[in-house]
């Protein structure tokens, strides 16, 4: 069954909200990659960079789906948290991942409700990666 125009708009709007957060995550993680300093940074700077790249791929997938559904992907990122100690950076990243996990779960429910199994599957794949990111930061913080 094809999605109605109204349901497509609801999904596009949800995906655009998340795309703004993913764009922010790209900047936040890359900033943490090159701003982290001190001995504790050696264990995590490469993880900041690789996570930034993962988030960039999420933003790209969301944009491609938005375009497929007939929308225009947002370009403006949500707020970015920068600076502080490495521990503060990781704590901010963990908080952002946990918030993303909750948003993705909500978007998955929306897709179920509206009958968009393709978008739901894509979001489930991204959710699994976000949960992996959260696990990395939880492990680092001990």
């Amino acid at each position: 069954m094809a999605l109605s125009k109204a349901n497509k708009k609801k999904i596009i709007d949800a995906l655009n909200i998340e795309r703004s957060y993913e764009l922010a995550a790209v900047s936040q993680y890359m900033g943490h990659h090159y701003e982290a300093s001190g001995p504790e940074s050696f264990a995590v700077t490469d993880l900041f960079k690789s996570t930034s790249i993962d988030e960039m791929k999420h933003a790209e997938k969301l944009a491609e789906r938005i375009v497929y559904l007939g929308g225009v992907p947002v370009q403006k990122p949500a707020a970015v948290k920068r600076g502080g100690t490495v521990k503060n950076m990781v704590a901010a990243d963990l908080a952002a991942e946990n918030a993303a996990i909750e948003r993705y779960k909500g978007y998955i429910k929306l897709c179920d409700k509206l009958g968009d199994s393709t978008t739901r599957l894509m979001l489930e794949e991204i959710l699994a990666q976000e949960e992996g990111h959260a696990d990395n930061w939880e492990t680092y913080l001990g």
Side-chain angles (χ1 to χ4, degrees):
M1 177 169 99
L3 290 171
S4 71
K5 192 171 188 173
N7 287 351
K8 280 185 182 182
K9 180 172 179 358
K10 289 176 187 175
I11 293 170
I12 290 166
D13 290 348
L15 297 179
N16 262 327
I17 289 168
E18 197 53 38
R19 180 166 158 76
S20 72
Y21 282 106
E22 293 290 357
L23 293 170
V26 172
S27 295
Q28 182 167 315
Y29 282 122
M30 196 53 71
H32 290 171
H33 166 68
Y34 55 75
E35 292 172 354
S37 62
E40 69 277 3
S41 69
F42 299 127
V44 75
T45 53
D46 286 343
L47 191 53
F48 285 143
K49 182 178 180 181
S50 66
T51 305
S52 177
I53 293 167
D54 289 345
E55 303 295 3
M56 181 175 53
K57 291 175 183 176
H58 297 166
E60 177 184 26
K61 284 181 182 182
L62 293 168
E64 289 170 347
R65 188 67 184 159
I66 290 164
V67 169
Y68 175 80
L69 292 171
V72 177
V74 297
Q75 299 296 319
K76 184 177 180 185
V80 176
K81 296 202 187 244
R82 301 289 291 271
T85 66
V86 171
K87 187 173 183 177
N88 288 346
M89 290 177 186
V90 172
D93 294 337
L94 176 58
E97 292 294 348
N98 285 332
I101 289 166
E102 291 308 309
R103 286 190 309 272
Y104 275 110
K105 287 178 179 179
Y107 303 143
I108 289 166
K109 287 178 184 175
L110 175 68
C111 290
D112 274 340
K113 178 182 169 188
L114 300 179
D116 185 351
S117 59
T118 303
T119 302
R120 187 194 76 233
L121 178 61
M122 178 193 72
L123 295 174
E124 287 171 345
E125 291 170 355
I126 295 172
L127 172 62
Q129 292 174 348
E130 299 294 14
E131 288 175 342
H133 297 158
D135 184 55
N136 289 337
W137 305 133
E138 287 171 354
T139 300
Y140 180 84
L141 291 172

